[in-house]
Amino acid sequence: MVEILGHEGISTPALRLRPWRAEDAVALVAAHRDPLLRRWLTTSLASDTEARRWIDDQSEGWATGVRFSFAILECRGKNGDAGRPVGHIAVTATDSSKALATVGYWTSAEVRGRGIAGRALEVVSRWAFDSQRIMPLTRLDLLHAVDNHASCSVAKKCRYALRSILPAQPPAFPRDGHLHVRINNDA
C-alpha cells in the first residue's frame, strides 16, 4: 500500500492519500450525490454496487501500473487520524511508454473551497515525478471543462500551464476543455 501524507499547515489539516478501499463505497456514493460534482464527471456512482465496481477498477489500475487512484482523507486531531474520503485524485498513463499521463481530481461538497484539491494535486504531482518508479513520467496533462473555473484555478496554482483549448468530444468529454500541462524538469 502507498500512502502520501501532505504537510499540516497552521490551520489546515494534513491530507492522507491512499488507494481506495471497499469500505469507502458509502462515502463515494455520498459524494456523487452532489449535483455540481456530477456536472463535471463522466461517471456518476449511484449505488454501493457501482461504487464497489469502480473501486475494483481503481485497484486493477494499481495492479497493472497504468492508473494510480487515491482517496483523499483529511487528518485531524493530535494523532492525525484520517476520516472518511473527501476527494479523489488519479494519475493515468496515456501512452504505452508511460511517459505521459493525465491527472484528474474532485472534492466532495462539504470540503470544496478549502484548498484540498490544490494541496492534493501538488503532492501527487511531486510524487508522480519524483517518488514513484513505475511510470517514467516526463509530462502530466490536466483536462477540465472550460467553464469549470475552480479546476482552472487549482491547475494554475499548481504550475500547470494552460496549453490549449480543446473541442468537445462527446460522450466522454461533452464540453470544450482546457488542457493544462506540467513538465517534469528533472526528466
Side-chain angles (χ1 to χ4, degrees), residues 93-127:
T94 56
D95 73 334
S96 60
S97 72
K98 297 183 183 177
L100 303 176
T102 59
V103 62
Y105 51 85
W106 56 258
T107 55
S108 58
E110 72 267 14
V111 301
R112 203 168 292 132
R114 293 186 10 212
I116 289 173
R119 289 187 300 138
L121 178 60
E122 185 57 35
V123 168
V124 164
S125 299
R126 285 193 320 251
W127 172 83

Side-chain angles (χ1 to χ4, degrees), residues 58-76:
Q58 307 317 299
S59 296
E60 178 67 20
W62 277 96
T64 59
V66 296
R67 180 178 170 86
F68 304 112
S69 179
F70 297 95
I72 303 169
L73 301 95
E74 281 188 297
C75 300
R76 296 217 176 255

Side-chain angles (χ1 to χ4, degrees), residues 137-149:
L137 292 172
T138 59
R139 182 175 124 177
L140 287 170
D141 290 351
L142 189 157
L143 304 166
H144 67 80
V146 168
D147 55 344
N148 188 338
H149 304 293

Side-chain angles (χ1 to χ4, degrees), residues 142-146 152 162 164-166 173 176-180:
L142 189 157
L143 304 166
H144 67 80
V146 168
C152 198
L162 179 59
S164 63
I165 297 176
L166 305 173
F173 211 70
D176 288 351
H178 281 176
L179 168 63
H180 293 264

Side-chain angles (χ1 to χ4, degrees), residues 39-55:
R39 177 179 179 193
W40 306 124
L41 297 179
T42 57
T43 302
S44 182
L45 306 173
S47 70
D48 287 348
T49 301
E50 289 175 344
R52 282 191 293 277
R53 191 175 311 125
W54 183 88
I55 290 168

